[in-house]
Each structure stands twice: as structure tokens, then as C-alpha cells.
Amino acid sequence: MQKPKLSVLMPVHNAERFLTEAIDSVLQQTFTDFEFIIIDDGSTDGSAAIINSYTDPRIRFYQNETNLSISPTLNKGIALASTGLIARMDADDICHPERLQKQYGYLAANPDCAMVTCRARVITEEGQFVEQDDFKSEYYYYNSIFESWIYHPTVVYRKEAVEQCGGYTVPYSEDFELFSKLYKRFKIHTLPETLLDYRVNTQSLHQVQKKKEYEQAHLEQILQNLKYYAGSDFTIPAAYIECYRHNFTPLLAKGSVDGIVDCLRVLHFLTERIQETPNPNREPAAIVQAAFYKRSFILSYFLQHLPLLKALQLTAKTNAWALAKKVLKSRVKRGIS
């Protein structure tokens, strides 16, 4: 048989409820020249039987003897891939018909790009619409330092680049860790199109079952990202990291205007370091604009939620008079003191 142009890699663990829809969405792609590597990671439900019911010759089905967990399973799949391009897929999500065609086309036309991703449409377990991510493609590099903007099953990456970065090496938040390594060394691109439905699943490890572990690993990865730009001895309050990823509760609970001002000062310092650090994804104008929007978003939140006197103090200390005028006017209309 002729070698395919692309490998699709999908780990499976007790996914029988959504598995057929996920598999069908891959097999029904407009781009057809791929191998479909499915690895069952110790499922105890009917997942294996569902996979075995398919006769499509593009499917390569493997079963782990025991549950290895996500990172070892993905590394196994990468090693098994016979092509240089690997599309990630999850067993509860849905590919739009042209996903592989558009992502393969981009990578074929841009050999300097190591990974391409796309926008996603978030749905419930029942398939109902929740939200549409509308992140600006040009702002991904800056913002992905502070938070993972990329849905794991939206990516297609070059096998060689992932192997050069050591593959998946952590048990939790494994995608964010890998993407952070790739961003530091290779060109990454986001297509401004929605090519996948991402399902919010109550059986998901990172969404429910191991949420605390994934959250802690996520925070540790953000700190590692910041240290890469600011220096290995860089330290920062946990409330600042949460603020940068738009969880404002810890900093708001402290009620300190000076703390918020210092948080923004540190953000400015980090932005300068990001600007100065060589990177294949560095676009100075996009970084400046992304940083401006992040700072404005943070300020807007605190101007809306601080007591009025403290909001005015924050305005004065940050010289955010134009922004404060809009926000405080809105507060008056809503009767918030």
C-alpha cells in the first residue's frame, strides 16, 4: 500500500457513548489520504467492540494491556505513526468535514510551520452549543504564555518537531506542556476557522475526574513559561498568575489597589521580556496589541468590581481615565456603588 500523507492519532478510554460519532467524523473527512491510529487504553466498557466493528482499512487499532494513561499512550501513537504529520483527535469530539484538508494544506504550503491549530466550537454532552471561541490568531503566541488557548484535538503537528521536544513528558496538562515547548522552538499557526466541536464531558479526566491535578500542573507550566522569559530566579504571587489567566477572584479578595497596580507592573515587565526574547512566533506589533487588550480587560474587571472609592484610586494610579470613564458610567447606569 502507498504510504499515507497524514496520521490521525486518537487515544480511547471508556468512550463508548461518543466514540462512533468521533470515528465517523474522521472517516468522513474530505481529505482521505490518512491512517487512523486508535489506541484503546485499558477500556472496561464497549469501546473496543465499537472500534472492531469498523472495516475501514485506514484504521490501525491497538490495545494497551493495561491503562497507561494519556502521555505514554500518545507517545506510543507518535512512535507508531508512519507519516511525518500527526493530527490529534479525542474520542468524544467531532471533526468538521474539511478539518484535515485545511490543516494538511496549510502545513504542506508552509514547511517552516511545526504545528497548526484552529478554532473550536464547544458543545455539551448532548451536542448542544455552549460557546464559540473567537481568539484572534495573531494573539495566540502572547496569550499562550499565560494560558492554554489551544484545544488539544484541534492540532496537527510535525512528528519530528514533537520528538525533538521530547514528546509528552508530564502526567497532567500534557498538551499545554508540549505546546509550550513547541512555541519556544518552532513556528506555530492558528487557522481562523472553526474546524472541530469540542465536547464538555463529565467523564473527562482534565474537566472532572482529575481536575485538581490538571489545574496544579497548568499553574506550574505557566510559571515555567514566565521564568523562560523573565529568568530562572523569577518569582511571582500565585494571585498574579491567576489574574493573568483571568481568574480575578484571588486578587479581588485581597482588596488591595496597590496589589492590582503591582500585578499590572509585573505584566508590563513580562511583556517587555517577551518582546526582547528571540522566537519564531514573535511579531512585535501583535504582542503590543495583545498586551494592551489583556491589560485593559484586567483593569475593566477591577474597575467594575472594586468599591467605587478604590476604583477611583486604581484609575488614578494607572492613569486609566478613558477606560474608567466608560466603566464607571456603566456602573452608574446599573446602580452599582
Side-chain angles (χ1 to χ4, degrees), residues 60-80:
R60 296 171 57 192
F61 181 36
Y62 302 87
Q63 289 180 279
N64 295 338
E65 292 184 3
T66 60
N67 179 254
L68 299 181
S69 77
I70 186 67
S71 288
T73 298
L74 288 173
N75 288 333
K76 176 180 177 178
I78 291 169
L80 288 168

Side-chain angles (χ1 to χ4, degrees), residues 7 26 34-35 43 72 83 96 98 125 135 145 147 164 179 188-189 194 219-220 245 283 285 299 305 307 321:
S7 303
V26 174
F34 61 85
E35 62 179 359
S43 293
T83 79
H96 293 195
E98 294 185 337
E125 288 185 320
F135 304 139
I145 296 166
E147 181 68 301
Q164 287 181 26
F179 301 157
I188 309 297
H189 182 72
T194 301
L219 291 172
E220 290 173 1
R245 60 195 298 244
E283 296 181 8
L299 267 173
H305 292 85
W321 297 105

Side-chain angles (χ1 to χ4, degrees), residues 29-48:
Q29 290 289 296
T30 57
F31 180 89
T32 61
D33 195 1
F34 61 85
E35 62 179 359
F36 191 3
I37 299 171
I38 305 176
I39 305 179
D40 181 73
D41 189 24
S43 293
T44 56
D45 64 357
S47 293

Side-chain angles (χ1 to χ4, degrees), residues 220-249:
E220 290 173 1
Q221 183 59 54
I222 294 172
L223 181 58
Q224 289 303 312
N225 290 348
L226 299 182
K227 285 186 174 184
Y228 174 79
Y229 295 97
S232 59
D233 59 347
F234 176 74
T235 60
I236 186 173
Y240 289 14
I241 295 179
E242 292 289 3
C243 181
Y244 299 154
R245 60 195 298 244
H246 301 165
N247 175 14
F248 303 115
T249 302

Side-chain angles (χ1 to χ4, degrees), residues 83-254:
T83 79
L85 297 177
I86 300 174
R88 273 284 290 111
M89 180 60 180
D90 281 344
D92 56 353
D93 297 324
I94 305 169
C95 289
H96 293 195
E98 294 185 337
R99 178 201 165 187
L100 297 183
Q101 183 72 59
K102 292 186 175 182
Q103 292 186 303
Y104 173 83
Y106 184 86
L107 288 173
N110 295 274
D112 63 326
C113 182
M115 184 174 81
V116 64
T117 180
C118 62
R119 293 179 179 177
R121 177 177 174 268
V122 181
I123 60 174
T124 66
E125 288 185 320
E126 293 73 28
Q128 297 174 330
F129 175 80
V130 176
E131 64 180 356
Q132 168 70 59
D133 94 54
D134 59 353
F135 304 139
K136 298 288 186 182
S137 300
E138 59 268 33
Y139 302 152
Y140 263 72
Y141 170 58
Y142 178 81
N143 284 286
S144 289
I145 296 166
F146 303 96
E147 181 68 301
S148 180
W149 268 24
I150 300 173
Y151 292 98
H152 202 173
T154 65
V155 305
V156 180
Y157 45 54
R158 297 190 188 276
K159 178 177 179 177
E160 183 179 10
V162 172
E163 290 177 333
Q164 287 181 26
C165 289
Y168 296 91
T169 60
V170 295
Y172 306 112
S173 200
E174 73 288 337
D175 52 343
F176 189 27
E177 190 252 2
L178 175 63
F179 301 157
S180 294
K181 292 187 294 187
L182 287 169
Y183 258 120
K184 293 178 178 69
R185 300 176 60 178
F186 301 102
K187 185 73 175 177
I188 309 297
H189 182 72
T190 301
L191 296 175
E193 300 177 66
T194 301
L195 300 175
L196 182 118
D197 283 359
Y198 181 85
R199 196 184 306 270
V200 178
N201 184 355
T202 56
Q203 298 303 310
S204 168
L205 286 177
H206 80 274
Q207 294 175 27
V208 181
Q209 296 183 30
K210 294 288 184 178
K211 186 174 182 178
K212 290 184 179 179
E213 291 86 347
Y214 271 89
E215 183 68 11
Q216 182 59 38
H218 202 83
L219 291 172
E220 290 173 1
Q221 183 59 54
I222 294 172
L223 181 58
Q224 289 303 312
N225 290 348
L226 299 182
K227 285 186 174 184
Y228 174 79
Y229 295 97
S232 59
D233 59 347
F234 176 74
T235 60
I236 186 173
Y240 289 14
I241 295 179
E242 292 289 3
C243 181
Y244 299 154
R245 60 195 298 244
H246 301 165
N247 175 14
F248 303 115
T249 302
L251 202 54
L252 182 65
K254 295 178 181 295

